[in-house]
């Protein structure tokens, strides 16, 4: 079934685009067309921002509503999202190759989980507090919505990462312009249908599928008050530069090259399901994965053997098959990128233990075999740069101090994991790794806790109460 759309969701209604350009969407597993949508241009961006601006500035509009009233509307929104859960999962899997089992745990439920969560936070957190002034009198400190938000979303977890931004922004009283990535736009139209069904006020949510040029115009648009972006570090730097020039607040969740530290007492063979999720989830197309596996030299051979066995045993195939563990990459360009990194790994002397090519019998689709490299030095290209595919590099260390030093010797600092029979020991090591998030004997995002990175992995935090405050600004009112 092809999904064809001719209008954009702007100002609470479907509107014909100003231009005639379209975005064609292809199946990652068959390379066949899945559908097409209008490509928003700068004029459409202007209309979307104007609609969001009008909705935010309306004295009786969304921003002025009480948290309870907004919460009631957001509950309707969550219900509308829940009705479309399976559709979200299947649309995303078809577009970017995500195994449907992963889609059902992420894309299908992210909105219905995060929207009520942030609505509840907004209801329970006082909008203002009164403090005794140090110089006499008192001060009322208010938390107010930051304004119009530009939410720019990548293709790897498009719905989940949309709601990392959309849910807290709406709960805070902001209005939003969402720009989905061109590779995954069909699910964004399903999102628009849920917004319409929930009867959110016109202009509160606007959706403009577009490429980089229109995205850049959204970032610098004078009607935007804050930018929330998830994507590559390269693009994040450009956005940060623009927002710095404009003195515009920005949240950036960028790339990663995280370390999975296997301690000498770890029962890795007994933790393969959790280890897979922390290192190869979503075909390696996940920003937080621990693609640098640090193994003690005393156990190096056995760790390499275990990971080689894991990677070679994974079921590669149709992402819509419940049994598939590794699906295709999102596009031909992404497959070419991953294959280039594999070639660099071989050229620089790393030892390929499994994978490295395209799986037999899958002549259509952008597939790459799960790949493991041994004898990798932390200075190698495949250990320094984010590959974004199912490729692991196994690096040896002599003691825990060296393992921590290697983990920290990276431009990135988004995530990581520690594997050990002693959780307290794992926690002690985790505390020493310079990163925004890290897990012990697993890695799973907690929606109630802040998520984000340090160094080249970004700035600011999403999720948890901190994710709500990122869309609020403080005002102090001095009273005699």
């Amino acid at each position: 079934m092809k999904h064809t759309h001719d209008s954009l969701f702007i100002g609470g209604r479907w509107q014909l685009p100003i231009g005639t350009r379209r975005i064609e969407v292809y199946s990652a597993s068959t390379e066949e067309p899945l559908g097409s949508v209008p490509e928003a241009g700068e004029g459409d961006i202007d209309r979307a921002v104007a609609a969001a601006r009008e909705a935010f500035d309306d004295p009786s509009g969304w921003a002025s509503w009480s948290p309870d009233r907004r919460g009631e509307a957001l509950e309707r929104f969550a219900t509308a999202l829940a009705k479309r859960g399976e559709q979200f999962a299947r649309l995303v899997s078809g577009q970017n190759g995500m195994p449907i089992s992963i889609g059902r745990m992420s894309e299908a439920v992210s909105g219905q989980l995060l929207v009520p969560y942030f609505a509840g936070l907004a209801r329970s957190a006082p909008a203002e507090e009164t403090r005794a002034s140090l110089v006499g009198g008192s001060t009322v400190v208010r938390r107010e919505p930051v304004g119009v938000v530009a939410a720019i979303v990548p293709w790897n977890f498009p719905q989940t990462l949309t709601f990392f931004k959309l849910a807290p922004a709406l709960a805070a009283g902001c209005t939003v312009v969402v720009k989905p990535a061109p590779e995954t736009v069909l699910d964004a139209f399903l999102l628009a249908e849920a917004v319409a069904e929930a009867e959110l006020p016109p202009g509160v949510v606007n959706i403009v599928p577009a490429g980089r040029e229109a995205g850049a115009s959204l970032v610098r648009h004078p009607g935007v008050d804050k930018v929330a972006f998830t994507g590559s570090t390269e693009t994040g730097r450009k956005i940060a530069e623009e927002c710095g020039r404009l003195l515009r607040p920005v949240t950036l969740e960028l790339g990663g090259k995280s370390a999975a530290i296997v301690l000498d007492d770890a029962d890795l063979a007994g933790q393969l399901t959790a280890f897979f999720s922390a290192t190869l989830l979503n075909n390696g197309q996940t920003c937080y994965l621990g693609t640098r596996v640090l193994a003690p030299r005393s156990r190096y051979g056995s760790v390499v053997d275990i990971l080689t066995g894991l990677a070679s045993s994974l079921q590669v195939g149709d992402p819509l098959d419940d049994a598939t563990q590794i699906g295709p990459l999102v596009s031909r360009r992404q497959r070419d990128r991953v294959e280039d990194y594999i070639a660099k790994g071989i050229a620089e002397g790393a030892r390929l233990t499994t994978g490295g090519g395209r799986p037999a019998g899958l002549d259509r689709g952008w597939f790459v075999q799960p790949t493991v490299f041994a004898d990798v030095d932390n200075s190698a290209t495949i250990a320094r740069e984010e590959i974004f595919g199912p490729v692991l590099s196994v690096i040896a260390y002599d003691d825990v101090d060296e393992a921590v030093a290697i983990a920290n010797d990276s431009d990135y600092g988004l995530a990581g994991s520690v594997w050990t029979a002693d959780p307290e020991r794992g926690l002690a090591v985790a505390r020493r790794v310079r990163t925004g998030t890290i897990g012990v004997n697993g890695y799973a995002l907690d929606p109630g806790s802040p998520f984000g990175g340090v160094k080249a992995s970004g700035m600011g935090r999403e999720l948890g109460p901190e994710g709500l405050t990122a869309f609020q600004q403080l005002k102090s009112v001095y009273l005699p």
Side-chain angles (χ1 to χ4, degrees):
M1 175 183 174
K2 290 188 66 174
H3 302 266
T4 302
H5 300 275
D6 296 319
S7 300
L8 301 171
F9 190 74
I10 296 174
R13 59 189 178 90
W14 297 100
Q15 302 189 39
L16 291 174
I18 292 175
T20 59
R21 295 176 63 176
R22 296 186 67 81
I23 296 172
E24 302 290 335
V25 184
Y26 296 89
S27 164
S29 57
T30 69
E31 304 179 36
E32 295 293 328
L34 286 177
S36 69
V37 306
E39 179 178 350
E42 288 196 26
D44 300 304
I45 298 291
D46 288 340
R47 288 196 296 170
V49 173
R53 182 85 266 160
E54 182 179 359
F56 182 79
D57 290 342
D58 181 353
S60 60
W62 184 255
S64 71
W65 288 13
S66 70
D68 282 337
R69 186 180 177 190
R70 280 200 299 269
E72 291 173 0
L74 293 176
E75 286 171 2
R76 296 196 305 271
F77 186 28
T79 299
L81 293 167
K83 289 165 55 177
R84 295 165 171 80
E86 179 67 11
Q87 291 174 272
F88 278 123
R90 296 186 70 84
L91 276 174
V92 171
S93 292
Q95 293 170 103
N96 72 5
M98 174 185 290
I100 190 67
S101 60
I102 305 301
R104 290 187 177 123
M105 294 188 295
S106 58
E107 307 306 278
V109 299
S110 55
Q112 58 183 289
L113 172 68
L114 292 175
V115 168
Y117 168 72
F118 281 107
L121 282 182
R123 282 169 155 163
S124 63
E128 60 184 40
E129 62 175 289
T130 301
R131 302 177 185 177
S133 172
L134 297 178
V135 293
S138 61
T139 300
V140 175
V141 179
R142 288 182 48 78
R143 292 187 178 274
E144 299 181 344
V146 72
V148 174
V149 174
I152 303 175
V153 182
W155 47 258
N156 60 327
F157 284 86
Q159 285 303 303
T160 297
L161 295 172
T162 291
F163 283 102
F164 277 24
K165 300 156 184 57
L166 185 59
L170 294 180
C174 299
T175 58
V176 186
V177 178
V178 178
K179 192 204 83 64
E183 293 85 351
T184 48
V185 291
L186 301 181
D187 51 295
F189 282 76
L190 192 62
L191 169 62
E193 291 176 12
V195 172
E197 180 177 314
E199 297 182 338
L200 298 187
V204 169
V205 179
N206 310 272
I207 300 175
V208 283
R212 291 186 178 183
E213 290 183 9
S217 73
L218 177 60
V219 168
R220 64 175 178 264
H221 199 288
V224 168
D225 297 302
K226 176 184 169 72
V227 175
F229 170 79
T230 299
S232 72
T233 295
E234 177 185 5
T235 302
R237 290 187 194 280
K238 294 176 183 177
I239 291 174
E241 290 172 1
E242 186 68 32
C243 289
R245 184 182 67 80
L246 296 169
L247 298 179
R248 178 168 295 166
V250 60
T251 300
L252 301 171
E253 195 269 282
L254 308 177
K257 194 68 184 179
S258 302
I261 304 174
V262 181
L263 298 183
D264 55 12
D265 64 348
D267 174 23
L268 198 58
Q271 298 174 300
L272 288 183
T273 299
F275 196 85
F276 167 79
S277 295
T279 58
L280 290 166
L281 188 78
N282 193 25
N283 320 328
Q285 298 179 141
T286 307
C287 55
Y288 61 68
L289 294 179
T291 54
R292 290 185 298 148
V293 181
L294 311 189
R297 204 172 299 276
S298 61
R299 292 187 55 192
Y300 188 80
S302 66
V303 170
V304 169
D305 288 345
I306 290 169
L307 296 184
T308 300
L310 169 64
S312 61
S313 69
L314 295 172
Q315 182 157 332
V316 182
D318 181 359
L320 294 175
D321 184 337
D322 289 336
T324 294
Q325 295 167 289
I326 297 288
L329 300 182
V330 68
S331 64
R332 185 184 305 277
R333 182 177 66 177
Q334 185 64 18
R335 183 182 63 186
D336 290 345
R337 168 188 168 89
V338 172
E339 290 179 334
D340 285 347
Y341 274 112
I342 291 172
K344 286 179 183 178
I346 294 171
E348 293 181 7
R351 175 166 58 93
L352 186 67
T353 70
T354 189
R358 300 178 186 179
L362 293 172
D363 299 327
R364 302 178 71 188
W366 299 301
F367 291 92
V368 173
Q369 293 173 315
T371 299
V372 176
F373 280 105
D375 304 334
V376 180
D377 187 86
N378 198 49
S379 63
T381 300
I382 58 173
R384 305 303 300 181
E385 298 181 13
E386 185 176 41
I387 298 174
F388 229 59
V391 181
L392 302 182
S393 299
V394 191
I395 302 168
Y397 69 85
D398 287 315
D399 57 29
V400 171
D401 288 343
E402 185 183 15
V404 171
I406 293 172
N408 289 336
D409 180 17
S410 174
D411 293 335
Y412 298 100
L414 181 60
S417 55
V418 183
W419 303 83
T420 175
D422 182 352
E424 287 300 318
R425 183 187 182 204
L427 179 58
V429 173
R431 289 187 176 115
R432 298 175 60 189
V433 180
R434 191 179 176 210
T435 186
T437 64
I438 190 166
V440 176
N441 292 330
Y443 185 93
L445 287 180
D446 171 17
S449 301
F451 172 74
V454 299
K455 299 188 282 187
S457 289
M459 54 193 290
R461 293 294 182 266
E462 296 181 310
L463 300 181
E466 295 81 2
L468 179 64
T469 59
F471 293 95
Q472 296 172 323
Q473 56 190 1
L474 298 174
K475 176 192 288 183
S476 293
V477 182
Y478 308 120
L479 301 173

